[in-house]
Amino acid sequence: MQQRYVVDVAELHRLTELNYAGLLPLLSQLESESESEPEAEVTLYAGENLAFNLRNVSESRYTSDIEIEQLKPNWADYLQAKMTVRLYHDVRMAEIISSQGVTRLAARYQQPNREMRHRDEKHQVNQFLADWLTLCRKQGHIQPKLSEAVQKFMPYYFK
């Protein structure tokens, strides 16, 4: 008998906090672009064949939603990364609220299920965002300017 999956809430919170810290520099780039154009987009290039568009979808007092979409016009839609990320400014967390057209991701899914979702799909898509932010940082798009105390608190992100 397979053991029931238990969500590691502390790990998920750590991951969403890291994602928020990683998205802040990109958000500031997006905000500086939006001052000149209301429907601003920022395009990030990660190597020769990898480009992503970032755009602000909505903004309120405590949250912002940004859409991250891979630009590869000759690829099928399901092969291109597309996600909507909600940033919670009051608690300094960012989580994916939509990925590849799937909205309302559950923290865990029963196995087996009709949609063929993984047990920990919410964690996996947020981990994908963390990996994507690491790629952007290594390509020079994100320059972390956090204190040493914060860097010691989050050693995973600052490898």
Side-chain angles (χ1 to χ4, degrees):
M1 182 173 189
Q2 190 175 16
Q3 201 171 20
R4 183 178 173 187
Y5 173 71
V6 178
V7 178
D8 186 349
V9 177
E11 172 63 20
L12 190 57
H13 279 207
R14 183 192 70 80
L15 192 55
T16 57
E17 289 170 351
L18 289 175
N19 288 343
Y20 184 88
L23 282 167
L24 280 182
L26 295 177
L27 197 60
S28 65
Q29 287 180 18
L30 194 58
E31 286 172 354
S32 66
E33 287 289 323
S34 67
E35 289 173 2
S36 58
E37 297 178 38
E39 294 292 321
E41 292 183 349
V42 172
T43 303
L44 301 175
Y45 297 94
E48 294 178 23
N49 300 315
L50 202 53
F52 295 90
N53 244 4
L54 270 73
R55 69 182 183 89
N56 201 347
V57 178
S58 69
E59 204 164 322
S60 66
R61 185 174 182 180
Y62 298 110
T63 63
S64 299
D65 291 351
I66 60 170
E67 187 176 84
I68 302 169
E69 185 174 8
Q70 185 176 359
L71 301 176
K72 204 65 171 166
N74 54 346
W75 283 13
D77 283 346
Y78 67 91
L79 293 174
Q80 298 179 43
K82 185 174 183 177
M83 56 191 138
T84 305
V85 182
R86 178 160 293 153
L87 290 93
Y88 300 95
H89 301 297
D90 53 343
V91 292
R92 303 185 60 80
M93 293 178 154
E95 73 168 334
I96 294 181
I97 58 171
S98 171
S99 174
Q100 301 302 103
V102 177
T103 57
R104 300 183 139 220
L105 293 164
R108 67 179 170 87
Y109 290 92
Q110 296 295 332
Q111 294 300 104
N113 60 64
R114 286 187 163 169
E115 295 84 24
M116 297 180 66
R117 306 254 179 260
H118 293 274
R119 299 185 312 174
D120 62 341
E121 189 143 344
K122 186 170 194 145
H123 183 272
Q124 286 187 27
V125 295
N126 283 291
Q127 182 63 53
F128 175 77
L129 177 59
D131 294 342
W132 181 79
L133 289 167
T134 300
L135 173 71
C136 289
R137 186 177 44 78
K138 287 182 179 179
Q139 293 293 330
H141 297 294
I142 299 175
Q143 303 299 322
K145 294 179 180 164
L146 301 174
S147 68
E148 286 184 32
V150 173
Q151 289 182 23
K152 287 179 185 175
F153 177 69
M154 299 185 288
Y156 165 79
Y157 185 72
F158 296 96
K159 285 183 188 173

